[in-house]
């Protein structure tokens, strides 16, 4: 067995409070550690959304109770959501949050700031407070524009409705505003080669832009709708195999800084509804490391790079004091992803049935 620094997952939705039939911190923490993850950053699109002191401390209290019950000292940090008029609350919480989350396009939950003037204010505030601004970068206007063209859409239209142009436009806008206000922006779940080109160029000009890749955008493409159906539905959607290749290229040239799972569980019953009634999101914490270690065996990525993307780069971007948690891995263990083995409450994975080589065995927190 070998030991690597424990994985930090900078992007999860553990559903507390408001959607605990999908996940809570008892099942979520168990899923995290079975995935080799000992630190998570949780997103604010809860019910109620985490947008002020009250909702922030309430969420924290429930999380602590749940973690205590299972006796897992999972490290966690919380985002605060931007609403466009909660500046005062963000200021009050500036030392308690890992960053500000801004939805430029609507996704699960009701957090959305589509108005440019309001967006600019948030970019400015994040810069003033020296907080990372994490972006769900899909342009709402573009999405709405496409939506009307699809009368009776099916799952494969998801990638057209939430078009690549929507993602590209939002990233363009974001880079422009980051440059104007000197904001440190963290672009969640980059999915297209055009976004990567924009980010690559922006980095060269000294703009503080960081990019995250999800396992599903690295290991799945639009072609997988055929067998996944709405289990392959997430925002932003799966893209082409050319985009997938560009993602791997961007990992090797340093355009992509981190891997975040965007672990976004929904129950199977919810997921198998007919599109577009099916919710967007897939779980990912338990499969991210096996997928990466399997890719290592396929000579797609080095172990050093895996550690950068899942630990050291994240600590640098978010100014974390490096922790000394470890994950023990069996590089040669070959095992199929089985829904019945999963700890996540949702009980399914878009990678079920895949045989992967390289699995976490234990963590030390
Ligand atoms: O697919 C997604 N699911 N994308 C998001 O932006 C939100 C997430 C969720 O919370 O379900
Ligand atoms: Zn998102
Ligand atoms: Zn997310």
């Amino acid at each position: 067995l070998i030991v690597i620094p424990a994985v930090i997952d900078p992007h999860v939705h553990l559903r507390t409070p408001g959607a605990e039939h999908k996940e809570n911190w008892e099942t979520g923490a168990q899923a995290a550690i079975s995935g080799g993850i000992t630190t998570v950053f949780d997103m604010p699109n809860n019910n109620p959304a985490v947008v002020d002191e009250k909702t922030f401390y309430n969420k924290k209290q429930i999380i602590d109770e749940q973690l205590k019950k299972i006796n897992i000292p999972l490290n966690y940090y919380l985002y605060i959501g931007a609403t466009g008029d909660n500046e005062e609350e963000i200021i009050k919480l500036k030392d308690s949050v890992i960053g500000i989350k801004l939805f430029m396009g609507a996704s699960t939950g009701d957090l959305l700031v589509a108005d440019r003037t309001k967006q600019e204010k948030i970019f400015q505030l994040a810069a003033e407070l020296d907080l990372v601004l994490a972006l769900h970068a899909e342009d709402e206007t573009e999405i709405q524009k496409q939506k009307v063209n699809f009368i009776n859409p099916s799952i494969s239209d998801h990638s057209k409705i939430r078009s690549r142009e929507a993602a590209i436009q939002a990233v363009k806008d974001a880079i422009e505003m980051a440059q104007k206000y000197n904001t440190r922006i963290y672009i969640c779940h980059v999915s297209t080669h055009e976004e990567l080109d924009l980010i690559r160029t922006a980095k060269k000009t000294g703009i503080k832009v960081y990019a995250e890749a999800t396992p599903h955008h690295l290991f799945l493409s639009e072609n997988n709708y055929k067998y996944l159906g709405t289990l392959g539905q997430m925002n932003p959607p799966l893209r082409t195999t050319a985009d997938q290749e560009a993602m791997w290229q961007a990992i090797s040239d340093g355009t992509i800084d981190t891997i975040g799972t965007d672990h976004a569980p929904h129950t199977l019953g919810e997921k198998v509804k007919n599109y577009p009634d099916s919710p967007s999101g897939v779980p990912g914490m338990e499969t991210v490391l096996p997928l990466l270690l399997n890719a290592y065996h396929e000579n797609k990525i080095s172990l050093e790079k895996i550690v950068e993307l899942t630990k050291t780069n994240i600590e640098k971007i978010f100014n974390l004091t490096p922790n000394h948690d470890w994950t023990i891995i069996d590089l040669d263990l070959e095992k199929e992803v089985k829904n019945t083995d999963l700890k996540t409450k949702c009980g399914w994975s878009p990678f079920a049935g895949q045989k992967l080589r390289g699995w976490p065995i234990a963590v030390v927190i």
Side-chain angles (χ1 to χ4, degrees):
L1 304 180
I2 65 167
V3 163
I4 61 168
V7 171
I8 299 175
D9 190 342
H11 187 161
V12 302
H13 302 262
L14 300 191
R15 305 304 191 201
T16 293
E20 294 181 294
H21 64 289
K22 301 175 196 267
E23 192 82 282
N24 63 24
W25 287 69
E26 293 178 40
T27 50
Q30 293 183 63
I33 61 167
S34 3
I37 298 163
T38 66
T39 305
V40 298
F41 301 174
D42 194 63
M43 288 299 172
N45 60 333
N46 302 112
N47 188 10
V50 176
V51 294
D52 54 27
E53 273 196 319
K54 188 161 166 265
T55 46
F56 178 85
Y57 288 112
N58 177 51
K59 175 171 171 176
K60 214 164 160 35
Q61 190 192 334
I62 306 171
I63 292 171
D64 290 339
E65 281 166 13
Q66 294 184 354
L67 290 179
K68 204 167 160 204
K69 254 193 221 164
I70 51 165
N71 200 22
I72 295 178
L74 187 74
N75 309 304
Y76 72 88
Y77 298 88
L78 304 180
Y79 274 103
I80 183 165
T83 65
D85 47 36
N86 65 339
E87 289 203 358
E88 291 308 315
E89 296 295 324
I90 295 175
I91 293 167
K92 281 194 252 172
L93 286 167
K94 72 175 170 45
D95 297 320
S96 308
V97 296
I98 191 71
I100 305 169
K101 176 71 182 285
L102 166 60
F103 283 85
M104 300 171 81
S107 190
T108 303
D110 49 19
L111 284 173
L112 167 69
V113 183
D115 178 74
R116 172 73 181 223
T117 316
K118 286 189 172 173
Q119 289 178 351
E120 297 231 1
K121 277 201 173 151
I122 296 159
F123 275 68
Q124 190 169 11
L125 180 68
E128 280 166 13
L129 301 178
D130 197 26
L131 279 172
V132 172
L133 180 60
L135 300 169
H136 181 107
E138 287 185 290
D139 183 81
E140 184 64 16
T141 315
E142 279 292 327
I143 298 169
Q144 293 309 329
K145 210 166 83 189
Q146 282 304 325
K147 226 175 217 168
V148 295
N149 297 329
F150 294 84
I151 314 291
N152 201 355
S154 68
I155 177 63
S156 57
D157 297 323
H158 188 59
S159 298
K160 299 174 190 148
I161 295 170
R162 301 190 78 107
S163 66
R164 55 192 309 115
E165 287 74 24
I168 299 161
Q169 185 58 50
V171 167
K172 248 185 222 162
D173 291 345
I175 289 173
E176 203 177 283
M177 290 186 273
Q179 180 164 34
K180 183 164 169 192
Y181 297 106
N182 200 24
T183 319
R184 286 192 288 149
I185 58 169
Y186 178 83
I187 303 190
C188 297
H189 43 52
V190 172
S191 63
T192 66
H193 69 82
E194 292 95 333
E195 289 167 86
L196 292 166
D197 290 342
L198 290 165
I199 293 164
R200 190 176 289 114
T201 309
K203 279 183 184 232
K204 279 186 193 141
T205 26
I207 299 167
K208 294 170 196 148
V209 53
Y210 307 100
E212 171 194 89
T214 68
H216 42 273
H217 291 114
L218 285 170
F219 293 98
L220 299 171
S221 76
E222 284 174 8
N223 300 345
N224 297 112
Y225 285 138
K226 267 197 278 281
Y227 75 91
L228 284 176
T230 45
L231 294 188
Q233 180 187 334
M234 77 289 291
N235 303 330
L238 296 175
R239 305 292 186 197
T240 66
T241 48
D243 291 309
Q244 229 181 330
E245 276 162 33
M247 298 282 290
W248 284 99
Q249 177 54 42
I251 280 185
S252 56
D253 72 18
T255 304
I256 287 173
D257 300 280
T258 74
I259 289 176
T261 64
D262 199 1
H263 180 89
H266 299 282
T267 66
L268 262 181
E270 292 165 338
K271 284 298 281 185
V272 300
K273 286 184 183 169
N274 283 331
Y275 185 85
D277 297 330
S278 43
S280 293
V282 295
M285 290 192 297
E286 288 165 270
T287 41
V288 59
L289 198 50
L291 286 164
L292 289 170
L293 296 174
N294 194 70
Y296 156 78
H297 286 298
E298 291 173 345
N299 293 320
K300 290 181 92 166
I301 192 167
S302 68
L303 290 180
E304 290 74 14
K305 192 69 175 182
I306 293 176
V307 173
E308 274 174 34
L309 292 165
T310 63
K311 169 82 160 59
T312 49
N313 283 355
I314 301 168
E315 288 171 335
K316 282 182 204 151
I317 295 167
F318 292 89
N319 277 329
L320 295 180
T321 311
N323 71 42
H324 300 282
D325 293 353
W326 303 101
T327 295
I328 300 162
I329 57 176
D330 183 345
L331 256 186
D332 285 315
L333 176 62
E334 205 167 346
K335 208 170 69 174
E336 186 185 311
V337 178
K338 287 203 185 104
N339 287 345
T340 46
D341 287 343
L342 298 174
K343 307 275 193 240
T344 174
K345 205 177 208 176
C346 74
W348 64 276
S349 163
F351 301 103
Q354 290 201 27
K355 208 167 190 193
L356 302 172
R357 182 171 163 215
W359 286 80
I361 300 300
V363 297
V364 180
I365 306 186

